[in-house]
Amino acid sequence: MAQMKVSQAKDSEAGDKFLRSLSMADRSGHLLETLDNLELRVEALREAAASMEQEKETLLELIQSVQNNQDMKHISDGEREELNLTANRLIGRTLTVAVSVETIRNLQQEEALRKATALIDEVVNKVLRDLGSAKNQLAALYNACSSEAPQGPIDQKFQSIIVGCALEDQKKLKTRLEKLIRNVSNADRSITLLDQKNAKPAKYNHIY
């Protein structure tokens, strides 16, 4: 009888251990599943914040494009002042929105980002000296970021650097180049319009 009780006790103890082990596995699985779901939400948060960050930059660019619009030169001083006041107010309100998404990088990616940024800055500094050349260089840098077959030359040096950047940095650099190209194109277009405007009086005087 005593031996039977001991045997039953051992069996019961073994069963309890099995139940405890199963319970721990269930709990571990549940916690892991919870973290997996939270990871999805974290990535969604980062994507939403990055989208807001981009929207902020886009809004600032659009507001400034209104201020630099050629039509601003063909309205009264009072209307122009009122429009600029409204634009500046919108810029101020946009800047009150603080959105920042930090990119996780290793040392190699940090160095690649530094070099890529330096190359872009170097071209930007040439804009005022040689607009046409800077525009072509920016296009070559942008083509180096494209995953598809680009139209036009590629800056091979920049391409070899940017592939070493973090994926988020690659996207941001490409977006920055897009914005710079638009700004340079607008500046180029303004200069062309100015040249045409200055050419008309000369032609007019020549005819008469």
Side-chain angles (χ1 to χ4, degrees), residues 10-11 16 25 30 33 46 49 52 108 118 123 138 154 159:
K10 288 183 178 180
D11 291 341
D16 289 342
H30 173 70
E33 183 180 358
R46 287 178 59 84
M52 290 179 63
Q108 290 76 15
V123 177
L138 287 173
I154 298 175
Q159 188 176 56

Side-chain angles (χ1 to χ4, degrees), residues 2 16 22-23 28 36 40 47 51 59 63 66 69-70 75 88 96 115 143 152 171 189 193 201:
D16 289 342
L22 182 62
S23 177
S28 176
D36 287 341
L40 294 175
E47 290 178 5
S51 178
L59 286 171
I63 296 169
V66 171
N69 192 288
Q70 291 295 317
I75 59 178
N88 289 331
T96 62
K115 290 181 179 179
N143 289 338
K171 293 178 180 178
R189 193 155 47 244
L193 289 172

Side-chain angles (χ1 to χ4, degrees), residues 29-57:
H30 173 70
L31 293 174
L32 181 60
E33 183 180 358
T34 300
L35 288 176
D36 287 341
N37 291 331
L38 289 173
E39 182 176 14
L40 294 175
R41 293 179 63 180
V42 168
E43 291 307 313
L45 172 65
R46 287 178 59 84
E47 290 178 5
S51 178
M52 290 179 63
E53 189 177 37
Q54 182 58 45
E55 176 67 5
K56 177 181 176 181
E57 293 298 322

Side-chain angles (χ1 to χ4, degrees), residues 7-24:
S7 178
Q8 290 175 347
K10 288 183 178 180
D11 291 341
S12 176
E13 183 178 352
D16 289 342
K17 287 183 178 179
F18 177 75
L19 290 174
R20 283 200 302 272
S21 177
L22 182 62
S23 177
M24 289 173 62

Side-chain angles (χ1 to χ4, degrees), residues 9-10 13 34 45 85 92 95 100 110-111 131 136 140-141 170 204:
K10 288 183 178 180
E13 183 178 352
T34 300
L45 172 65
L85 286 173
L95 291 175
S100 177
E110 287 183 0
E111 179 64 13
L131 185 66
N136 292 334
L141 294 178
Q170 292 181 26
Y204 178 86

Side-chain angles (χ1 to χ4, degrees), residues 125-164:
N125 291 332
K126 295 179 181 178
V127 170
L128 294 179
R129 299 197 304 271
D130 189 345
L131 185 66
S133 176
K135 184 178 179 180
N136 292 334
Q137 285 183 280
L138 287 173
L141 294 178
Y142 178 79
N143 289 338
C145 303
S146 178
S147 57
E148 301 177 356
Q151 298 294 327
I154 298 175
D155 190 309
Q156 301 290 344
K157 179 180 178 182
F158 186 75
Q159 188 176 56
S160 65
I161 292 174
I162 198 170
V163 294

